[in-house]
Amino acid sequence: MIALDVRHLSKRFHSGQYPAVNNVSFSMQQGEILVLVGPSGCGKTTTLRLIAGLERPDSGEIYLDGQVAASREVFLPPEQRGIGMVFQDHALFPHLNVYDNIAFGLRGRPSVEIRQTVHELLDMVGLEPLVKRFPHALSGGERQRVALARALAPHPVLVLMDEPFSSLDTDLRLEMREQVRSLLKAMNASVVFVTHDQEEALYMGDRLAVFQQGQLEQLGTPEQVFQNSATRFVAEFMGNSAFLSGEVIPGGIRTEVGLVSQPVDLPTGSRVELAVRVDDLDFYPDPTGNAVIVERIFRGVQNVYRLRLDSGLTLQAFKEHITMLPVGQRIQAKLNPGHPLNVFLTSH
Amino acid sequence: MNRSDAPMPPALVSPWQRLRAASNRLTTRSASPVLLAGLAGLVALFLAVPVVYIFLRAVGADAEAWQRLLQVRLWKLLGNTLLLMLAVTGGALVIGASMAWLTERSDLPGRKYFRWMFALPLAIPAYIGGIVHLALLRPRGGMLPRLLENLLGQPVYTPSPLGFWGAAFILILFTFPYVYLLSGAAFRSQHASLEEAARMLGYRPLRTFFSVTLPAMRPGLLAGALLVALDILAEYGTVALLRYETFSSAIFVQLSGRYDRSAAAVLSGVLVGLAVIILWAELHSQGQARFTQMESSWRPAPIVRLGKWRIPALLVAAGVTFTSLLVPVGVLTTWSIQAVLDPETLRSVLHSGSMGFSNFAWNSLWTSFLAALLAITLSVPVALFSVRHPSRVSRLIARVCQVGYAIPGVVIALSLVLLVNRALPFLYATPLIVVIAYVLRHVPQAVRASEAALNQVSATLEEAARVSGRTAVQAFVQVTFPLILPGLLAGGALVFLTSLKELPATLLLRPAGFDTLAVRVWVWANDGFYVQAAPAALLLVLISAVPLSFLLRREQIFK
């Protein structure tokens, strides 16, 4: 069943140079976690707010559970959409305690049901002992869990999460990520999750929607988006690729660090760019090599080396942590991906 | 990549698209911003009408009135008013900022108590302080000269509180707390690291103070100075009492004595023009007033040891408190006791004509309370519109709502007399017109308080309520309102406090026989019955101290 269907959604703000959301379409299944990911200002949060009904679209339609929520004629206000939302700053009501915050969306139901639902959720997020506390007396992780419980309590058709972990520190963020994902999966919730953190996106999402400048660049599983990037931007943003120029030859691509043999759907002689990540490049010391080490970055389990090719391009490659090579060392670099690389036709 | 949808140049956006974009902006976020915009616009209109009307009257006054005033009066009044404004603002800045440094950044003994002592003169209307100091220092028959003459057996010269120097002295004493409170807050919010950075870069302590500490708190100082300046432009009681003629007192005379309305309108137009310039500067300085920010890594700057300067500093601080707080309160208390002990005086205190003491007190209370309630109610739609729907329109409306700061009480009175006579004659000679004057003048304070309160409440709280199934109105009632209520109460307390002290508008607009505490004190004191006026004055000060201490206690430091 389709939980959310977004068609040709656009929104331009008065102050914006280009549309905040530009003709975006996607749909998602019941029980799916869809992550909207992209750099700040890419339109992912505006898309989320449009789905919530907190902004009104300029054009396009939104269907929730098959019902129209926004179109040219219809605009359901947020309170009539039956959506749960977890805000970036959690937005817990400071004048209400944990219990009343979670019960806030349950107004109008029998009090027995409210009590039962709130306690179920408290139990699920493990906050039963803190039920009488007020938000200011909670830690960051506890606030996070109350916000999640409040959003889930009315059993919404859709849960929206706007960078929910960004206010937590790193260790807690990793821990909450795992807890929240398994909780959402256990409840079979349909979730739209916004983040600018590519690693978080890869972990959380069943599917990823990569945004840039208001446009949807690619929609796919984490593996597809990472390994089969549809555009140069997606390759660059997901996995911090560097770009190596090359020329298509029969059976592969010729670059300054060697031949890559992989099938290419482009005419021979085309100028292309290859997306190269740290694990795609190998090198060994060689006084007559084609590159030089300019920096070694010690990352604990591995050493990341910045290598300057003779063409002036800088690439990164890693070695295990016991291999220490000095800066200035001449090396021979060569591509050794073990899988097809993302290839893009050079623009201009 | 496909770049065909590059941003359209502005010229290609049709008016229709712009209109649609505008209506979209208005209708997002909340269900009824059009209604809200309308309400806020109405409030702004209500507040702007009296000022605009006075300007029109001033411009439209016959050429002869302008001629007559321009020949001599206007320039003299302008000189007098500006001179007093500069002197008082300068004096209040020096005293306010230095006392703030002593209580916030030095090890002045008893600085916890001095904080209260320096803030509390705000509960004493300047004209009541003026009455006390006048009775003490008057050249002939003053208490101090007489005492000295009795002691020494011959007349001794004492400085007179009359005229420019007296007025400046009194007004500095009772306006410096504005600067004190604002610069105190600026001193407190300063990062320790700011001065530490200057020291690490090779600045010695004194140079650090003048090149880093003081400039960093410029917005706070400026805001305080401009508030004082606006206050001086509006001041009537003190300058009238001490016989120093400014715009306000000249307008008052034209209105009550000679009853020359076109001259009054011309003078008012010039005065309001002057005040609007200062108000504009004040609003402008507000925009930049955020040099200093409380961050999580904030540490208070270290306390400076006064060392051998401890005793002189203590003497100066005690002197300021003595003249601005202890003398007025002490003298009023003594007189009140005298009044109560003397049966004849007590009788005239308790009954003047058909009105009793409790009538004055009650009139003061209900008019000020009603004004506070109305001002807060009017401020909420304006604040909601400007904080939650920022746009050029909402900013303009919020600005217009600040205009009351620039209309002195005498001008409000003149404007209302003229307007009400024309448009709403049934209001004339009812106490309600007094309340309207208070509201017009004090709504700006309420708007600022409501905006500050609303800025503390994140918009995501309202959005969270909306997605949890509440309409815009329900979200306001159930979430926003309970959270901003303390801020609204603070705004109300401020309006109540300033309305209680308001003198000239009350004098000019009250129906015959409708006396408030402020009016009674003024009338009695002007007739020379100081002892008789004292209980009412003391009561006024004590009532004012209640909302003031409520306001001060909201600051962490006054706990």
Side-chain angles (χ1 to χ4, degrees):
Chain A
M1 205 173 77
I2 307 256
L4 169 69
D5 192 9
V6 170
R7 294 184 200 160
H8 307 295
L9 200 61
S10 288
K11 172 79 183 174
R12 178 191 280 269
F13 288 109
H14 179 55
S15 52
Q17 217 181 19
Y18 49 85
V21 176
N22 192 354
N23 196 17
V24 166
S25 303
F26 60 86
S27 65
M28 59 180 280
Q29 297 291 323
Q30 158 72 34
E32 189 183 10
I33 299 180
L34 176 71
V35 175
L36 313 186
V37 62
S40 62
C42 69
K44 55 192 192 301
T45 296
T46 306
T47 306
L48 196 76
R49 294 175 59 84
L50 286 166
I51 298 168
L54 296 169
E55 304 282 355
R56 187 187 279 258
D58 295 342
S59 61
E61 292 110 56
I62 298 169
Y63 297 87
L64 286 165
D65 236 1
Q67 308 286 313
V68 60
S71 69
R72 187 188 281 273
E73 294 83 22
V74 181
F75 179 74
L76 279 189
E79 66 269 20
Q80 290 172 23
R81 295 195 179 193
I83 288 178
M85 184 156 174
V86 180
F87 290 84
Q88 189 170 5
D89 60 357
H90 309 328
L92 297 183
F93 303 121
H95 60 307
L96 301 178
N97 63 22
V98 168
Y99 182 95
D100 290 330
N101 260 291
I102 297 176
F104 193 84
L106 298 170
R107 199 184 54 143
R109 303 188 190 189
S111 57
V112 186
E113 188 193 324
I114 294 180
R115 205 173 317 132
Q116 198 186 337
T117 311
V118 172
H119 283 288
E120 248 167 51
L121 278 153
L122 279 169
D123 187 41
M124 217 179 284
V125 296
L127 287 177
E128 195 71 56
L130 306 180
V131 61
K132 289 270 176 265
R133 290 263 188 97
F134 281 87
H136 64 85
L138 298 177
S139 73
E142 288 161 355
R143 274 181 219 177
Q144 169 65 55
R145 283 181 278 169
V146 176
L148 184 65
R150 183 179 69 183
L152 293 174
H155 293 288
V157 292
L158 183 66
V159 181
L160 307 178
M161 303 180 83
D162 183 10
E163 307 220 10
F165 305 136
S166 62
S167 60
L168 309 178
D169 49 32
T170 320
D171 288 346
L172 193 56
R173 199 181 308 162
L174 298 177
E175 190 189 322
M176 287 303 298
R177 212 187 262 181
E178 290 168 28
Q179 287 182 11
V180 169
R181 184 173 161 90
S182 55
L183 187 70
L184 291 172
K185 280 295 163 197
M187 293 188 71
N188 195 30
S190 314
V191 182
V192 181
F193 186 104
V194 161
T195 181
H196 65 264
D197 180 340
Q198 40 130 334
E199 205 185 308
E200 190 169 283
L202 292 171
Y203 180 86
M204 290 296 298
D206 295 327
R207 280 194 303 155
L208 266 52
V210 186
F211 275 71
Q212 199 214 180
Q213 298 199 340
Q215 286 174 319
L216 183 53
E217 295 261 322
Q218 186 174 8
L219 182 65
T221 64
E223 294 78 6
Q224 282 169 348
V225 168
F226 194 83
Q227 286 164 14
N228 258 323
S229 303
T231 65
R232 190 181 191 277
F233 169 79
V234 174
E236 189 178 4
F237 184 74
M238 305 300 296
N240 303 321
S241 302
F243 292 91
L244 184 66
S245 52
E247 187 187 352
V248 177
I249 55 168
I253 299 158
R254 184 170 55 215
T255 74
E256 62 177 302
V257 286
L259 288 173
V260 187
S261 45
Q262 66 179 61
V264 188
D265 282 347
L266 289 165
T268 301
S270 305
R271 303 294 309 169
V272 294
E273 286 180 302
L274 287 106
V276 180
R277 300 198 173 99
V278 273
D279 59 329
D280 298 331
L281 196 68
D282 195 12
F283 65 92
Y284 50 88
D286 180 352
T288 62
N290 57 2
V292 67
I293 296 177
V294 288
E295 194 182 0
R296 179 175 63 85
I297 304 151
F298 188 55
R299 285 266 168 79
V301 290
Q302 55 192 214
N303 278 305
V304 176
Y305 289 93
R306 278 159 54 79
L307 315 172
R308 189 170 59 230
L309 305 184
D310 289 342
S311 66
L313 184 71
T314 306
L315 293 177
Q316 297 195 350
F318 65 66
K319 291 265 178 207
E320 61 273 36
H321 56 97
I322 45 167
T323 311
M324 303 278 186
L325 293 169
V327 168
Q329 167 84 51
R330 195 90 198 149
I331 49 114
Q332 179 70 34
K334 72 183 216 327
L335 282 170
N336 184 21
H339 58 84
L341 291 173
N342 288 314
V343 177
F344 306 101
L345 198 60
T346 306
S347 48
H348 61 73
Chain B
M1 223 183 85
N2 175 20
R3 302 289 315 154
S4 64
D5 47 32
M8 236 189 291
L12 294 181
V13 182
S14 73
W16 169 243
Q17 277 171 311
R18 262 189 232 172
L19 196 68
R20 242 193 71 187
S23 79
N24 261 339
R25 274 201 305 286
L26 280 177
T27 45
T28 42
R29 286 184 150 232
S30 139
S32 50
V34 179
L35 184 69
L36 192 60
L39 281 176
L42 278 181
V43 173
L45 192 67
F46 167 65
L47 297 176
V49 162
V51 195
V52 173
Y53 184 72
I54 276 298
F55 266 121
L56 293 182
R57 286 292 293 232
V59 174
D62 47 34
E64 199 200 333
W66 274 99
Q67 277 293 320
R68 217 169 344 125
L69 288 166
L70 272 177
Q71 263 164 14
V72 270
R73 291 289 306 284
L74 203 58
W75 300 116
K76 173 122 199 308
L77 286 177
L78 195 62
N80 273 2
T81 308
L82 288 179
L83 191 65
L84 186 69
M85 192 180 88
L86 288 177
V88 175
T89 308
L93 263 182
V94 170
I95 294 185
S98 50
M99 292 307 118
W101 186 84
L102 282 178
T103 59
E104 304 310 321
R105 297 295 306 275
S106 83
D107 62 345
L108 181 76
R111 55 186 187 282
K112 220 175 109 194
Y113 303 102
F114 274 116
R115 276 186 193 132
W116 280 96
M117 307 287 240
F118 290 145
L120 278 177
L122 282 180
I124 305 172
Y127 54 86
I128 288 183
I131 290 167
V132 169
H133 280 283
L134 183 63
L136 283 177
L137 298 174
R138 202 148 41 111
R140 270 175 298 281
M143 286 151 79
L144 191 68
R146 259 195 323 204
L147 184 73
L148 287 178
E149 195 176 337
N150 286 347
L151 278 179
L152 304 173
Q154 58 175 21
V156 187
Y157 172 77
T158 50
S160 161
L162 292 175
F164 170 74
W165 291 109
F169 168 70
I170 294 296
L171 289 171
I172 290 170
L173 279 186
F174 295 97
T175 54
F176 89 86
Y178 288 121
V179 181
Y180 170 75
L181 287 174
L182 284 166
S183 50
F187 271 127
R188 271 198 304 282
S189 65
Q190 229 162 51
H191 268 270
S193 54
L194 199 63
E195 287 178 19
E196 286 164 2
R199 297 292 295 280
M200 297 309 293
L201 292 168
Y203 282 55
R204 273 179 313 201
L206 203 62
R207 242 189 106 192
T208 301
F209 180 80
F210 282 107
S211 53
V212 173
T213 313
L214 217 48
M217 51 186 288
R218 199 170 52 210
L221 290 177
L222 188 65
L226 293 167
L227 275 183
V228 171
L230 285 172
D231 213 49
I232 299 310
L233 287 185
E235 180 61 41
Y236 162 71
T238 313
V239 290
L241 184 79
L242 302 178
R243 295 187 210 133
Y244 181 75
E245 201 176 34
T246 63
F247 271 111
S248 277
S249 58
I251 296 166
F252 191 94
V253 171
Q254 297 287 357
L255 265 180
S256 59
R258 288 178 214 160
Y259 226 67
D260 180 351
R261 281 175 181 174
S262 73
V266 169
L267 293 176
S268 299
V270 178
L271 174 56
V272 172
L274 204 61
V276 164
I277 294 172
I278 294 172
L279 179 65
W280 179 82
E282 206 260 351
L283 291 174
H284 194 70
S285 79
Q286 286 237 321
Q288 313 173 323
R290 294 283 163 264
F291 283 9
T292 48
Q293 263 190 337
M294 292 280 204
E295 285 152 29
S296 52
S297 61
W298 178 83
R299 265 173 308 124
I303 296 286
V304 174
R305 303 212 167 279
L306 289 172
K308 62 182 175 185
W309 294 100
R310 253 167 90 101
I311 300 302
L314 187 63
L315 285 177
V316 172
V320 170
T321 292
F322 182 73
T323 42
S324 64
L325 187 67
L326 299 184
V327 165
V329 173
V331 170
L332 288 179
T333 311
T334 317
W335 283 344
S336 298
I337 293 170
Q338 279 179 16
V340 172
L341 292 182
D342 180 41
E344 199 166 324
T345 321
L346 185 61
R347 212 170 310 126
S348 30
V349 166
L350 292 180
H351 301 281
S352 84
S354 61
M355 300 279 278
F357 191 78
S358 54
N359 290 83
F360 318 142
W362 171 241
N363 285 343
S364 275
L365 285 178
W366 81 257
T367 50
S368 304
F369 184 80
L370 189 58
L373 197 66
L374 286 173
I376 283 299
T377 311
L378 293 179
S379 76
V380 169
V382 175
L384 268 178
F385 189 47
S386 79
V387 172
R388 288 293 187 253
H389 304 276
S391 70
R392 223 171 287 166
V393 178
S394 69
R395 228 175 353 258
L396 178 72
I397 286 179
R399 285 274 159 113
V400 169
C401 289
Q402 292 296 313
V403 84
Y405 268 125
I407 341 177
V410 284
V411 180
I412 293 247
L414 170 65
S415 187
L416 280 181
V417 166
L418 297 172
L419 274 172
V420 164
N421 263 342
R422 279 198 169 182
L424 307 159
F426 59 91
L427 270 182
Y428 196 67
T430 68
L432 282 185
I433 195 171
V434 176
V435 175
I436 293 176
Y438 294 166
V439 172
L440 285 172
R441 180 138 165 69
H442 303 315
V443 152
Q445 297 167 343
V447 170
R448 283 186 189 189
S450 305
E451 282 182 344
L454 214 50
N455 270 321
Q456 295 293 309
V457 178
S458 163
T460 54
L461 289 175
E462 286 156 25
E463 292 170 358
R466 295 298 300 281
V467 294
S468 302
R470 304 300 195 272
T471 64
V473 174
Q474 285 171 332
F476 176 78
V477 172
Q478 292 173 21
V479 174
T480 317
F481 185 72
L483 293 174
I484 62 173
L485 189 59
L488 296 186
L489 286 179
L494 201 56
V495 175
F496 181 79
L497 174 66
T498 39
S499 299
L500 214 52
K501 303 196 309 191
E502 197 346 294
L503 180 66
T506 322
L507 280 174
L508 290 168
L509 289 172
R510 73 203 165 108
F514 184 84
D515 288 355
T516 63
L517 285 175
V519 168
R520 263 297 115 198
V521 171
W522 179 250
V523 172
W524 275 329
N526 255 356
D527 294 343
F529 299 127
Y530 296 132
V531 173
Q532 196 172 322
L538 190 63
L539 184 65
L540 183 58
V541 171
L542 291 179
I543 296 177
S544 304
V546 174
L548 180 63
S549 63
F550 165 72
L551 287 170
L552 293 175
R553 268 173 205 284
R554 281 170 58 82
E555 301 274 325
Q556 207 67 44
I557 207 79
F558 285 99
K559 286 270 155 69

